[in-house]
Amino acid sequence: MLKPPEHQVAGHRAQDGQLGPLVDGCGIFYKPLQGDGRGDAEVAFYISLFSHPAVPPHILSFFPGFHGTLVLPASDASGPRPHLALDDLLAGLRSPSLIDFKIGGRTWPPDCPEDYFQKCIVKDRESTSVALGFRVSGVQIQDPAGADAFWRPSRAAVRRYMVKDVRRVLRQFVSADPPSPDQKPDCALASAVYGGPDGVLAQLMELKAWFEEQTLFHFYSASVLLVYEKDAAVAAAGQQAGKPSGVRVKLVDFAHVMEGQGVIDHNFLGGLCSLIKFMSDVLNDPEAGGRESIKVQLSCEDGSLENLGI
Amino acid sequence: MLKPPEHQVAGHRAQDGQLGPLVDGCGIFYKPLQGDGRGDAEVAFYISLFSHPAVPPHILSFFPGFHGTLVLPASDASGPRPHLALDDLLAGLRSPSLIDFKIGGRTWPPDCPEDYFQKCIVKDRESTSVALGFRVSGVQIQDPAGADAFWRPSRAAVRRYMVKDVRRVLRQFVSADPPSPDQKPDCALASAVYGGPDGVLAQLMELKAWFEEQTLFHFYSASVLLVYEKDAAVAAAGQQAGKPSGVRVKLVDFAHVMEGQGVIDHNFLGGLCSLIKFMSDVLNDPEAGGRESIKVQLSCEDGSLENLGI
């Protein structure tokens, strides 16, 4: 029985008669091929990725498993349509907390049609993409009030995230208490989720090492998706310390992947490094707050240059 | 006696009555402060850089020494004007080969006036900045025909550089033979200049490590400048192997540095990583040429997807 996925924070949704992905409940996620060539591009990417001898096996594990394409009735009742068959990244999870980061200061490739460039650059400048090298595309955080209770900001709210909101949601994502406007995130699960030998940071560092070398693919508009379950993380953080928190770090959305042509993906790599730094800050300073000593002041409106006699 | 610098490949030039930098022949380079706030911004940056406790001493050595400002007669005969007094990075060199890379896929800061954004984005897209994360701003290579003979492409030619031209000039820069359209660069000095414990790559890796952490400054439109002398490099590469080649790796041009505000400079970092990869390619494969095995083909115009039966 195919149905829309229960937990989806970004992308097109198969609900209210819209075209969107479906899951079979047995571990497969069916993503409809978009008709304007983007669907074919994503299929071509998956084939190339999983067949290319230069892609190391430990890197493949960052991608959803690919099981070919299948013609299925589309969720918008428009009839049969080819779908990508991918691993369902949330399979087996009852109450996943998840966050989707679209990586890159730029979501448009160097040689793209002018109208696509214009559309993308406006979004890149309006969001945190230009400033941070990434933006949050969606988030849901389990509320300890109940296994089926989630905190899920609206897409419009996420679209308005500024740098300070990104900082805050990265802390909220690893807090035991539910997000609240009046309370500082407790970051109780930061070590269990972001830290440790199998945590998010260790996995992102592995990806980073690959991006410093790989010149096969440029990932425009692709995302890093983080998924974990609070129960497992609480166990890992608490009396069962050392137990893996079961966090999943995956790359998703490859409709705009381009051939690298011997050049590294400096745009994705820079954004990835920025995300890594933001998470390191949470881990190293869970109490949060600006460390004043590392700020600078480059404005000279107060005449400080003159005061220095130069 | 102040005079225009003999070797200058990028930036405004003090010749033909234009405003430009001057050198005193005793190791100091005087850069006129631009009047629209950019000059003040560069002074503020130097003061902040050299006084900030969080900047490690080994990083300061990548910057020209700063000796305050001085009012001097401007080179365009417009009268007295404040100049930055900086180390002359070419002091003591008779026949320097040099190359200037403007780093970053983006030369405009996130919050900039619309006309400045428009001006920059056109140049970024027309040059290799967007594709590579950096562009060549100028180059001169000593011609072994004579100590005072140099190969120096015109600014217009450098502005038209495509990715393949950047690859070629990175090889020409470390070749014993002068650049020639009919001859493959010999890369005879690649190990002496790019390689080794004090070579360009080792120094750029040190810079990279700092950029992965530092959130003080964002360097828009700044450059990495490489300088070396062929005689010293030939000695280092030849019978006197092990002798340092004396290559200098410096950051220059800080009129558009912004406060980092706790975020890493992912734009500069990504471009720096791309430059590092390009140089590693020269070092690892001085014979040049595409390694076919690491290419991919993502186009599906030939119906290959259908042929795969999916």
Side-chain angles (χ1 to χ4, degrees):
Chain A
M1 278 305 301
L2 298 177
K3 55 178 188 180
E6 211 173 325
H7 309 284
Q8 188 189 346
V9 295
H12 305 276
R13 280 184 192 161
Q15 54 193 22
D16 312 322
Q18 302 296 302
L19 183 65
L22 300 164
V23 292
D24 64 3
C26 303
I28 303 292
F29 177 94
Y30 298 96
K31 181 174 179 176
L33 264 63
Q34 285 156 304
D36 53 1
R38 282 183 286 168
D40 285 350
E42 192 156 17
V43 175
F45 166 72
Y46 272 106
I47 292 173
S48 177
L49 176 79
F50 280 100
S51 62
H52 202 290
V55 181
H58 75 277
I59 290 301
L60 290 178
S61 66
F62 285 107
F63 294 85
F66 170 60
H67 310 282
T69 64
L70 203 68
V71 175
L72 294 174
S75 63
D76 61 355
S78 60
R81 177 189 270 269
H83 288 63
L84 273 161
L86 302 168
D87 282 348
D88 180 357
L89 302 177
L90 305 183
L93 302 183
R94 166 102 201 269
S95 306
S97 292
L98 46 114
I99 188 163
D100 180 299
F101 303 99
K102 196 183 278 271
I103 307 291
R106 172 164 62 83
T107 56
W108 46 278
D111 302 306
C112 66
E114 196 58 23
D115 55 342
Y116 188 72
F117 161 73
Q118 292 295 349
K119 200 180 92 178
C120 290
I121 189 109
V122 167
K123 284 192 198 173
D124 294 348
R125 295 178 78 193
E126 284 176 355
S127 70
T128 65
S129 291
V130 165
L132 294 191
F134 66 91
R135 63 183 184 243
V136 176
S137 288
V139 58
Q140 87 168 20
I141 302 177
Q142 196 225 322
D143 185 327
D148 291 327
F150 295 97
W151 177 81
R152 205 184 281 129
S154 72
R155 290 194 177 192
V158 171
R159 250 198 302 274
R160 285 192 302 268
Y161 273 8
M162 315 277 282
V163 174
K164 67 174 175 23
D165 304 310
V166 174
R167 273 194 205 287
R168 196 191 54 238
V169 83
L170 272 165
R171 294 173 179 275
Q172 289 171 330
F173 188 64
V174 290
S175 289
D177 287 338
S180 138
D182 317 315
Q183 211 176 315
K184 224 168 72 170
D186 58 65
C187 295
L189 308 174
S191 300
V193 175
Y194 293 157
D198 303 314
V200 174
L201 270 173
Q203 295 192 53
L204 292 183
M205 293 299 282
E206 224 180 294
L207 260 187
K208 168 174 172 264
W210 185 57
F211 271 92
E212 286 173 348
E213 289 295 329
Q214 76 90 11
T215 62
L216 295 172
F217 306 111
H218 285 190
F219 294 85
Y220 296 104
S221 269
S223 287
V224 163
L225 178 70
L226 309 185
V227 186
Y228 81 102
E229 283 200 304
K230 280 204 176 176
D231 286 354
V234 167
Q239 67 275 41
Q240 293 163 275
K243 220 184 138 178
S245 67
V247 62
R248 302 177 185 181
V249 177
K250 298 286 178 180
L251 294 178
V252 296
D253 295 336
F254 309 115
H256 300 282
V257 173
M258 300 282 152
E259 297 168 20
Q261 301 182 308
V263 177
I264 67 164
D265 189 351
H266 58 89
N267 175 59
F268 191 99
L269 175 58
L272 187 61
C273 289
S274 179
L275 178 59
I276 286 172
K277 182 64 165 69
F278 264 63
M279 278 187 191
S280 308
D281 287 350
V282 177
L283 206 54
N284 296 333
D285 185 12
E287 289 300 307
R291 279 159 292 175
E292 291 300 326
S293 70
I294 63 158
K295 286 195 182 158
V296 293
Q297 161 65 285
L298 291 183
S299 138
C300 26
E301 282 157 19
D302 60 352
S304 55
L305 299 185
E306 285 73 13
N307 296 343
L308 280 160
I310 63 170
Chain B
M1 278 307 300
L2 298 177
K3 54 179 188 180
E6 212 174 325
H7 309 283
Q8 188 189 344
V9 295
H12 305 276
R13 281 184 192 160
Q15 55 193 21
D16 312 323
Q18 302 295 301
L19 184 64
L22 301 164
V23 291
D24 64 2
C26 303
I28 303 291
F29 177 94
Y30 298 96
K31 181 174 179 177
L33 263 64
Q34 286 156 304
D36 54 1
R38 284 185 285 168
D40 285 348
E42 193 157 17
V43 175
F45 166 72
Y46 273 105
I47 293 174
S48 178
L49 176 79
F50 281 101
S51 62
H52 203 288
V55 181
H58 74 278
I59 290 301
L60 290 178
S61 66
F62 285 107
F63 294 84
F66 170 60
H67 309 283
T69 64
L70 203 68
V71 175
L72 294 173
S75 64
D76 61 355
S78 61
R81 177 190 272 268
H83 287 63
L84 273 161
L86 302 169
D87 282 348
D88 179 358
L89 301 177
L90 304 184
L93 302 183
R94 166 102 202 270
S95 306
S97 291
L98 46 114
I99 188 163
D100 180 298
F101 302 99
K102 197 184 278 269
I103 306 292
R106 172 163 63 81
T107 56
W108 46 278
D111 302 306
C112 65
E114 197 57 25
D115 56 343
Y116 187 73
F117 161 72
Q118 291 296 347
K119 200 180 93 179
C120 290
I121 189 109
V122 168
K123 285 192 198 173
D124 294 348
R125 294 179 79 192
E126 283 175 356
S127 70
T128 65
S129 291
V130 165
L132 294 191
F134 66 91
R135 63 182 184 244
V136 176
S137 288
V139 59
Q140 90 168 19
I141 303 177
Q142 195 227 321
D143 185 328
D148 291 327
F150 295 98
W151 176 81
R152 205 185 278 130
S154 73
R155 290 194 177 192
V158 171
R159 252 198 300 273
R160 285 192 303 267
Y161 273 9
M162 315 275 284
V163 174
K164 66 173 175 22
D165 304 310
V166 174
R167 271 193 208 288
R168 197 191 54 240
V169 83
L170 272 165
R171 293 174 179 274
Q172 290 169 331
F173 188 65
V174 290
S175 290
D177 286 339
S180 139
D182 317 315
Q183 210 179 316
K184 225 169 75 170
D186 58 65
C187 296
L189 309 175
S191 299
V193 176
Y194 293 159
D198 302 314
V200 175
L201 270 172
Q203 294 193 50
L204 292 182
M205 293 298 282
E206 222 179 294
L207 258 187
K208 169 176 173 261
W210 185 58
F211 272 93
E212 286 173 348
E213 290 295 329
Q214 76 88 11
T215 62
L216 295 172
F217 306 111
H218 286 191
F219 295 84
Y220 296 104
S221 269
S223 288
V224 164
L225 178 71
L226 308 185
V227 186
Y228 80 102
E229 282 200 303
K230 279 204 178 175
D231 286 354
V234 167
Q239 69 276 40
Q240 293 165 274
K243 220 184 137 177
S245 66
V247 60
R248 301 177 185 180
V249 178
K250 298 286 176 178
L251 294 178
V252 295
D253 294 337
F254 309 115
H256 300 282
V257 172
M258 300 282 152
E259 296 168 20
Q261 300 183 309
V263 177
I264 66 164
D265 189 351
H266 58 90
N267 175 59
F268 191 100
L269 176 59
L272 187 61
C273 290
S274 179
L275 178 59
I276 285 172
K277 182 64 166 68
F278 265 62
M279 280 188 189
S280 308
D281 287 350
V282 177
L283 205 56
N284 296 333
D285 186 12
E287 290 300 308
R291 279 159 290 177
E292 291 299 326
S293 71
I294 61 156
K295 286 194 180 158
V296 293
Q297 161 65 285
L298 290 183
S299 138
C300 26
E301 282 156 18
D302 60 353
S304 56
L305 298 185
E306 286 72 13
N307 296 343
L308 280 160
I310 62 172

